[in-house]
Amino acid sequence: MRRSGQGAARLAGLAAAVLCAAVLSLCLGARQLAPGTVLRALLGAAGEAERAAADIVRLVRLPRTAGGLLAGAALAASGTVIQTVLANPLAAPNIIGINSGAGLGVAICCALAPGAAVLTPPAAFLGAFGGVSLVLALSRRAGASRITLVLAGVAVSGMLSAGVDLVLTLVPDALVGYSDFRIGGLAQVSMQKIAPAAWVIVPCLAVLLLLAGEMDVLALGEDLAHSLGLRVRAVSLLLLALAAALAGAAVSFAGLLGFVGLVAPQIARRLVGGGARRLLPGAMLLGALLLTLCDLAARVLFAPFELPVGIVLSLAGGPFFLWLLFRQRHRETAAERP
């Protein structure tokens, strides 16, 4: 009971931290704005003297903040599901082919139907689901160890990224500002770009929360879950489809952001526990917080110049992934010893 109360308190603390990060994101940047100015801009009550500031808030910072919160929550939830279904703490959307598959889907969609923003999330989903399916098939054929899955994901991600390069070689205008898309960033995000993805992300997050009980049963292991009456194959497929949809929708407007789906679930487990009813919302809040703070740092640290947020995430997430990899390898080696 006490642990449950601690988990709820930590979730509330994370929610408060996300709110504070969102306020800072709206106020800080190349030009600092007072909270009162931001509030009047959001309410449409800004005076004539504040028109320029109001335009900055409504047209630049609000879409950027909303995009960071949505993409962070979506990628973190996707990573949580993938790690649960595959029983692999090293799995994440950018590692097992989901992000690169979504990127290929977006590139093909933009090449065939330029300007059709509403088609981007479905195309990203198809690419993401195809990527993760290919990785799973290859890893099972080669041997279903956790390291094999990661290596298969790296190989498939490389091939899918090469596919993106091929599309852009044939249709150079398919993705304007492709370097920003590949690194991942929120600088060019607008409400028009976010809206189609939001219609995918919000319902998928809601469905995942409803499936938290099934995720807890699945986490017990396939054999035990099957003995408890869970339709393991169908539930696993549904969860992976939701994970692909979430990551694909985030990639469709934020680019190939990495490590959010790896780092946020790992930290959330340590903060709120491993039960999906607390882990999912905890990971969503941490993902939103992580991406918003990294984007804020990318804007503020070298102002008036700014870095793509994907660079900041890679600098923070790369060492974390290596630590997890060596830790997992050490555990597997210890388990093999007589």
Side-chain angles (χ1 to χ4, degrees):
M1 191 73 173
R2 183 179 174 185
R3 248 179 116 177
S4 177
Q6 286 180 345
R10 288 173 179 174
L11 284 176
L14 284 173
V18 170
L19 179 60
C20 290
V23 172
L24 289 174
S25 179
L26 291 171
C27 293
L28 301 181
R31 176 178 175 183
Q32 296 188 18
L33 302 175
T37 302
V38 171
L39 181 61
R40 286 190 293 275
L42 294 176
L43 296 176
E48 189 68 26
E50 295 178 322
R51 177 173 294 178
D55 288 342
I56 291 173
V57 172
R58 290 197 302 265
L59 301 179
V60 179
R61 293 189 185 171
L62 181 59
R64 192 162 184 166
T65 302
L69 295 173
L70 270 176
L75 291 170
S78 177
T80 303
V81 170
I82 292 166
Q83 290 173 13
T84 300
V85 172
L86 303 182
N88 191 337
L90 299 176
N94 63 303
I95 294 171
I96 65 167
I98 288 183
N99 278 13
S100 52
L104 179 58
V106 170
I108 293 173
C109 178
C110 292
L112 297 179
V118 71
L119 298 178
T120 305
F125 164 74
L126 291 175
F129 193 71
V132 71
S133 299
L134 181 57
V135 170
L136 288 176
L138 289 174
S139 63
R140 284 174 179 168
R141 187 172 182 83
S145 75
R146 294 174 177 181
I147 302 300
T148 300
L149 178 67
V150 172
L151 294 176
V154 171
V156 170
S157 293
M159 291 188 294
L160 294 173
S161 295
V164 177
D165 292 334
L166 175 61
V167 171
L168 293 176
T169 300
L170 298 176
V171 187
D173 296 330
L175 285 174
V176 179
Y178 173 63
S179 61
D180 290 339
F181 179 82
R182 167 163 277 187
I183 296 170
L186 300 168
Q188 306 301 321
V189 166
S190 65
M191 286 301 188
Q192 289 73 23
K193 290 182 179 179
I194 294 173
W199 284 105
V200 175
I201 291 172
V202 174
C204 285
L205 291 178
V207 173
L208 275 184
L209 291 173
L210 293 175
L211 292 173
E214 284 78 1
M215 284 183 61
D216 282 335
V217 176
L218 192 61
L220 298 174
E222 290 190 6
D223 293 337
L224 183 54
H226 185 73
S227 68
L228 292 173
L230 186 71
R231 298 175 63 187
V232 172
R233 189 175 184 83
V235 172
S236 297
L237 187 63
L238 174 59
L239 289 172
L240 286 176
L242 290 169
L246 286 167
V251 165
S252 70
F253 68 85
L256 302 177
L257 295 173
F259 296 109
V260 177
L262 174 71
V263 174
Q266 294 287 344
I267 298 176
R269 276 190 188 89
R270 288 160 175 76
L271 285 178
V272 300
R277 286 182 175 84
R278 290 196 302 270
L279 178 59
L280 275 172
M284 292 175 197
L285 290 169
L286 269 167
L289 178 64
L290 175 64
L291 186 51
T292 303
L293 289 179
C294 285
D295 182 57
L296 183 60
R299 281 188 277 158
V300 171
L301 289 179
F302 301 99
F305 305 101
E306 70 174 58
L307 297 173
V309 66
I311 293 177
V312 179
L313 282 170
S314 296
L315 289 173
F320 188 86
F321 173 70
L322 290 174
W323 174 75
L324 280 177
L325 182 64
F326 289 125
R327 180 169 171 241
Q328 186 62 43
R329 183 60 180 166
H330 176 73
R331 284 182 174 178
E332 290 186 359
T333 302
E336 290 172 358
R337 290 174 185 164

